[in-house]
């Protein structure tokens, strides 16, 4: 149980780390300094973490990485959308 709590807390902090960037990108409509390769790498890495989570049956890994996948995918969407406008 303690392992799961630590896993959820760690995942929440990792998830929170990208939220300010998404808010800034959305408000300013500026994504010039964000690397598309970084976002793609994060998405691929997150997919592997989800697969790993299923292999070890680690719910914190699965749940938080699925959420993180959506968040990073949204940042990628903003990157593509706002780069086209620039």
């Amino acid at each position: 149980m303690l392992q799961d709590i630590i896993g959820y807390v760690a995942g929440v902090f990792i998830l929170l780390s990208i939220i300010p960037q998404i808010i800034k990108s959305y408000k300013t409509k500026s994504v010039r300094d964000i690397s598309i390769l970084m976002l793609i790498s994060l998405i691929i890495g997150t997919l592997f973490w989800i697969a790993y989570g299923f292999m070890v049956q680690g719910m914190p890994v699965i749940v938080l990485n699925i959420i993180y996948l959506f968040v990073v995918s949204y940042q990628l969407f903003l990157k593509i959308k706002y780069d086209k406008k620039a």
Side-chain angles (χ1 to χ4, degrees):
M1 174 128 163
L2 180 60
Q3 290 172 321
D4 284 348
I5 292 170
I6 291 171
Y8 281 114
V9 170
V12 166
F13 276 96
I14 296 298
L15 182 61
L16 290 176
S17 70
I18 196 169
I19 299 299
Q21 183 62 59
I22 290 173
I23 292 169
K24 183 177 179 182
S25 296
Y26 182 78
K27 284 183 176 180
T28 65
K29 314 254 187 290
S30 174
V31 292
R32 188 180 64 155
D33 292 335
I34 298 172
S35 167
I36 197 164
L37 291 177
M38 178 203 65
L39 295 172
I40 292 169
S41 295
L42 282 172
I43 288 170
I44 292 168
T46 302
L47 289 169
F48 276 103
W49 273 115
I50 293 167
Y52 171 77
F54 279 109
M55 289 176 177
V56 299
Q57 298 176 353
M59 285 309 291
V61 176
I62 296 167
V63 170
L64 287 159
N65 277 289
I66 288 173
I67 295 169
Y68 192 69
L69 178 64
F70 284 109
V71 171
V72 175
S73 295
Y74 183 67
Q75 180 65 63
L76 179 62
F77 166 77
L78 292 176
K79 172 71 174 166
I80 293 167
K81 178 180 177 181
Y82 296 142
D83 265 357
K84 285 184 181 179
K85 290 184 178 182

